[in-house]
Amino acid sequence: MTALALARKWRPKTFTELVGQDHVVKALTHALDQGRLHHAWLFTGTRGVGKTTISRIMAKALNCTGSDGKGQMTSEPCGQCQACTEIDAGRFVDYIEMDAASNRGVDEMVSLLEKAAYAPSSARFKVYMIDEVHMLSTHAFNAMLKTLEEPPPHVKFILATTDPQKVPVTVLSRCLQFNLKQMPVPLIVEHLQQILGSESVTAEANALRVIAKAAQGSMRDALSLTDQAIAYAAGPVTEAAVRTMLGTIDETYLIKILDALQNKDGKTLNEIAEEMGLRSMSFSLALQDLASLLHKIATAQIVPDSVLEDWPEANEIRRLAKAFTPEETQLFYQIAITSRADLSLAPDEQAGFAMALLRMLAFKPGGSGTTSVTANSAPKAAAQASKPAAAANKSGEAKPVAKSVASTVAKTAPETATHAPNLNSEIKPDWHELVRHLPLRGLLQQLAHQTELVEWRDTPTTLFITLTTAMPQLATDDALLRFGEALRAQYGKPVKIQLGEGKANYTIAKVDAEIYAEKKLNAEEQIAEDPFLKELEREFGAKVVSGSVRPIN
């Protein structure tokens, strides 16, 4: 006999069995108990959070007649009467579930509305549940508007969608809206433990945590993954079996990665990436889990009491919170989350993951105090910036020189360089205008747009610049060197950039943000005064979705 999937076997049949949606259950229960029922409800939320389940419970609550056949509408359906049993079995003639993804045309909608005019066959209410309602065509939406606003007294509509932004406001305004929440990991774990206890299946708590995280807030996905884990493990569900099944990384790998970063050990980082590749682990999930761990470490650095004792990695989080500075943790987190998108662009995912780890090793947060870099015409200056420099003594012998951020790589610029007008040594240029015209890209452009000019001193041989920045983590030695090279190409002389104390307040990024905010406000005011929209508001009750207005440029 084929076993029933856990997601179907343990689908809640009453409001009391439903988990994670207390705010919705409370509102619907009160409405049923008081007899104050709307004619249309809209449930929104991601997959597997209970939209269809709540719809079926509502249909039972509306049509339940009690075990004696004389009961009234109730928030606690009996589960024994004809309506309850047939709705649970999916064969109740007056409860119609329609998938808008495959029945999205106006003809299907007209046919449904024509049938709605007839009284229920045997029930108190005829309930129409339209799933993924945002998939309906514009004409189908228009066809249902009037009926949705004033349906026959024996008809109730329940709409469900994973993308409410695509539902016309004319439909939204005719429904009571409930946003179903994603399931938190602890709640999923607790629910899985109860179900597996009833199923007499042994499972490690950490294994269920891994499943809960992989489900990404969906209880249905969590139950499906649990079914898969039971089959894969062929016995007790262990953390090792679940991680192998999902291709996720063990917490010990993450700890090893962070220890290698602390020790500046690039060799170990490469070895970890290679071992993960041999074990066919998901590098995208690895970066996601690494970012999650770094989030916990960053929080522990600010709020030590945030570390919970039941976390398996609690002691390691406390140790690493002391090993890294808050700036390092933030930088590693930023690299981890941005590198996930880069994996598809890498030669292969393993190479992309390894480069993300090496990027964490290569970059460091901009320190406090004074940092300076001199840029010139040497073509290999950027490459040399990360290597120990060397100087020649009078005998021609090379002697090592300690790496200095303020060291000069070369002293002359090419004669063919394009010279900008030589400015007075104390007159500052229009820094924003100057930076906007520099050929900068990526992180370097972001750094430049987050700087403020403090001092500009132009001498016949060298241009001295002092800057402050709102993002010191981007102001690495190499970045400042390349920034100086871009300025050298503009002014035809060595440029010495010095990072001063304090934080930049008047940056290009801030000015652009203020300009955008002003344009957005103007756009919202123009939309609010638009005669056509005002007419829609009067005739159809339309409203502009808050935050949806954007300036054209």
Side-chain angles (χ1 to χ4, degrees):
M1 181 177 177
T2 303
L4 200 61
L6 292 178
R8 294 181 59 192
K9 182 177 180 180
W10 292 95
R11 182 192 289 272
K13 292 180 171 58
T14 63
F15 285 126
T16 55
E17 295 177 5
L18 197 69
V19 296
Q21 309 297 348
D22 293 343
H23 63 299
V24 178
V25 169
K26 184 177 180 179
L28 295 178
T29 299
H30 287 173
L32 288 163
D33 290 341
Q34 297 171 13
R36 298 179 63 87
L37 293 174
H38 203 268
H39 55 269
W41 296 273
L42 173 65
F43 298 128
T44 67
T46 57
R47 73 205 182 283
V49 293
K51 299 186 294 297
T52 303
T53 295
I54 292 178
S55 172
R56 293 180 182 179
I57 296 174
M58 275 294 293
K60 290 192 292 184
L62 291 168
N63 290 305
C64 180
T65 58
S67 55
D68 59 357
K70 299 179 181 180
Q72 299 298 315
M73 185 173 60
T74 175
S75 61
E76 299 177 359
C78 68
Q80 299 176 11
C81 66
Q82 179 185 359
C84 289
T85 55
E86 290 187 0
I87 289 173
D88 284 337
R91 60 174 185 269
F92 191 60
V93 69
D94 290 316
Y95 173 66
I96 300 96
E97 285 188 5
M98 171 182 167
D99 179 17
S102 54
N103 299 277
R104 62 190 305 269
V106 66
D107 293 338
E108 290 87 347
M109 183 55 62
V110 169
S111 174
L112 180 148
L113 296 175
E114 287 176 349
K115 295 175 183 176
Y118 298 102
S121 299
S122 58
R124 190 178 294 119
F125 294 102
K126 183 177 287 189
V127 181
Y128 288 95
M129 192 278 185
I130 305 178
D131 199 10
E132 297 300 345
V133 68
H134 68 274
M135 298 291 287
L136 289 177
S137 67
T138 302
H139 294 302
F141 274 124
N142 291 336
M144 72 182 295
L145 283 178
K146 191 62 179 177
T147 305
L148 187 63
E149 184 173 20
E150 297 179 0
H154 58 267
V155 172
K156 301 294 182 184
F157 284 101
I158 300 178
L159 313 181
T161 178
T162 55
D163 194 354
Q165 298 297 328
K166 294 182 179 179
V167 179
V169 292
T170 49
V171 173
L172 295 176
S173 65
R174 287 166 166 80
C175 303
L176 289 184
Q177 300 178 43
F178 295 95
N179 182 32
L180 276 63
K181 302 175 182 177
Q182 288 187 314
M183 306 290 176
V185 169
L187 184 62
I188 293 178
V189 171
E190 181 183 354
H191 192 57
L192 292 180
Q193 287 174 332
Q194 294 175 356
I195 290 175
L196 293 182
S198 301
E199 293 283 330
S200 300
V201 175
T202 304
E204 295 179 358
N206 283 345
L208 299 184
R209 287 193 186 95
V210 175
I211 289 174
K213 287 175 65 177
Q216 297 182 332
S218 169
M219 187 65 78
R220 183 178 64 230
D221 286 7
L223 290 168
S224 297
L225 289 173
T226 303
D227 259 331
Q228 185 179 347
I230 292 171
Y232 183 87
V237 179
T238 63
E239 180 183 3
V242 171
R243 289 192 180 278
T244 303
M245 177 189 78
L246 297 176
T248 57
I249 188 171
D250 195 316
E251 294 286 350
T252 57
Y253 277 88
L254 302 179
I255 302 300
K256 288 178 182 178
I257 288 172
L258 293 178
D259 283 337
L261 289 172
Q262 181 191 0
N263 298 325
K264 306 293 187 292
D265 188 351
K267 181 174 180 291
T268 298
L269 291 176
N270 274 330
E271 289 174 349
I272 292 173
E274 290 176 4
E275 185 175 351
M276 289 172 57
L278 291 174
R279 295 183 59 182
S280 300
M281 291 181 173
S282 168
F283 291 105
S284 178
L285 289 178
L287 286 173
Q288 177 181 309
D289 290 344
L290 182 58
S292 178
L293 179 59
L294 287 165
H295 166 255
K296 292 179 180 179
I297 293 171
T299 306
Q301 289 172 330
I302 307 300
V303 187
D305 293 342
S306 65
V307 181
L308 302 181
E309 293 300 333
D310 61 346
W311 290 352
E313 70 279 15
N315 291 332
E316 297 293 349
I317 289 175
R318 294 190 184 96
R319 177 178 66 83
L320 292 168
K322 296 176 181 178
F324 295 113
T325 66
E327 292 80 10
E328 287 175 322
T329 306
Q330 292 290 338
L331 180 61
F332 295 159
Y333 174 84
Q334 189 69 22
I335 292 174
I337 61 175
T338 56
S339 295
R340 289 186 68 194
D342 294 342
L343 289 180
S344 60
L345 305 176
D348 57 74
E349 285 203 349
Q350 181 176 327
F353 180 75
M355 282 300 294
L357 300 184
L358 295 177
R359 195 176 299 129
M360 294 178 188
L361 194 62
F363 284 85
K364 63 179 180 180
S368 59
T370 301
T371 303
S372 60
V373 169
T374 300
N376 52 43
S377 61
K380 296 182 180 179
Q384 297 287 347
S386 61
K387 300 180 182 178
N393 58 20
K394 292 182 180 180
S395 64
E397 259 181 300
K399 62 178 182 179
V401 178
K403 177 184 174 185
S404 170
V405 183
S407 63
T408 302
V409 182
K411 296 184 177 180
T412 59
E415 294 181 2
T416 57
T418 302
H419 290 258
N422 193 14
L423 301 176
N424 186 301
S425 63
E426 299 302 328
I427 299 178
K428 297 179 184 178
D430 185 334
W431 182 248
H432 290 191
E433 185 69 18
L434 171 61
V435 171
R436 288 183 192 278
H437 287 85
L438 290 177
L440 306 176
R441 295 290 184 273
L443 289 176
L444 186 58
Q445 184 185 51
Q446 187 175 0
L447 167 63
H449 282 213
Q450 294 286 354
T451 59
E452 182 177 355
L453 180 61
V454 176
E455 182 183 4
W456 176 284
R457 189 159 56 88
D458 189 7
T459 70
T461 58
T462 307
L463 179 59
F464 296 90
I465 298 175
T466 302
L467 304 173
T468 55
T469 177
M471 297 187 70
Q473 66 271 24
L474 296 180
T476 62
D477 297 352
D478 180 63
L480 291 176
L481 183 66
R482 290 187 289 121
F483 192 6
E485 286 178 342
L487 289 168
R488 176 207 53 77
Q490 179 75 12
Y491 288 94
K493 65 175 66 176
V495 178
K496 184 176 182 180
I497 297 181
Q498 179 172 287
L499 199 61
E501 296 280 357
K503 201 168 185 178
N505 295 315
Y506 184 67
T507 65
I508 294 177
K510 185 173 182 179
V511 171
D512 287 348
E514 291 174 351
I515 292 173
Y516 178 82
E518 184 177 354
K519 287 183 176 180
K520 186 173 184 294
L521 180 60
N522 291 336
E524 289 174 344
E525 291 175 350
Q526 292 177 26
I527 289 292
E529 297 300 323
D530 185 89
F532 177 68
L533 288 180
K534 284 186 174 181
E535 185 177 351
L536 288 179
E537 291 175 356
R538 288 193 302 269
E539 296 295 329
F540 302 103
K543 63 179 181 178
V544 177
V545 177
S546 177
S548 64
V549 178
R550 299 286 188 273
I552 295 176
N553 53 51

